[in-house]
Amino acid sequence: MVSRKRNAALDKSDEPHPTAFQERLYAACKKIPKGKVTTYGALAKALSSSARAVGQGMRRNPFAPIVPCHRVIASDLELGGFSGEWGNETKQVCRKRSMLQAEGVKFDGTKVARTSVVEVDEMAALVGAPTLVVAKGNAKLKQPRTACTAVARHSRK
């Protein structure tokens, strides 16, 4: 007979269960290329969310480093927070900087160099989110082209 203690160890109910938003967030975060970063705001726009929600989701990320939350920074290109700490001189944020440098992210003083940043439109494309296109005063959503949309367009001809 298996003891109660052992049954408790086999029970997987203690494993993290991300919300639907967190699942989308973590999937998007995994698409940030090594050697690059994006901002909380850019990731939020790509997910039609808020920077604060992205920050809270990153703070609760139980899958690091598989989900590389260290690749998300503040909009002023400062490192922002890491592991619940905020500020360039904190132990965890110094660790974040070291991780990013090891991946090839370039810095300009305490800020990430603009050349290492995945901007809003590129992040939206990586995530597969629609982007806003403004042409001749008319704004419309442009859906990213995928294999499915390419087949659908071809079959209409």
Side-chain angles (χ1 to χ4, degrees), residues 21 24-25 28-29 32 37-58 69 71-81 86 96 114 117-125 127 129-131:
F21 170 73
R24 288 179 38 238
L25 174 62
C29 189
I32 303 167
V37 297
T38 195
T39 65
Y40 295 100
L43 198 49
K45 286 179 184 173
L47 296 171
S48 299
S49 185
S50 72
R52 187 171 297 249
V54 168
Q56 289 300 313
M58 292 289 103
C69 54
R71 294 183 189 153
V72 184
I73 63 170
S75 61
D76 65 358
L77 305 186
E78 294 282 350
L79 293 182
W86 193 271
K96 179 177 183 173
R114 179 69 59 192
V117 179
V118 176
E119 300 292 347
V120 176
D121 290 343
E122 187 181 354
M123 195 65 230
V127 173
T131 56

Side-chain angles (χ1 to χ4, degrees), residues 75-156:
S75 61
D76 65 358
L77 305 186
E78 294 282 350
L79 293 182
F82 192 59
S83 295
E85 292 183 6
W86 193 271
N88 286 327
E89 301 305 317
T90 64
K91 181 180 177 182
Q92 292 299 335
V93 176
C94 288
R95 187 171 145 237
K96 179 177 183 173
R97 182 183 179 99
S98 294
M99 292 169 74
L100 292 171
Q101 286 175 321
E103 292 181 352
V105 172
K106 304 293 182 211
F107 284 83
D108 184 12
T110 60
K111 296 184 178 194
V112 172
R114 179 69 59 192
T115 56
S116 293
V117 179
V118 176
E119 300 292 347
V120 176
D121 290 343
E122 187 181 354
M123 195 65 230
L126 288 171
V127 173
T131 56
L132 188 63
V133 177
V134 179
K136 297 182 183 175
N138 296 324
K140 66 178 185 174
L141 287 176
K142 179 181 177 185
Q143 296 291 337
R145 188 174 177 136
T146 64
C148 295
T149 57
V151 169
R153 288 182 185 148
H154 182 68
S155 64
R156 283 189 249 158

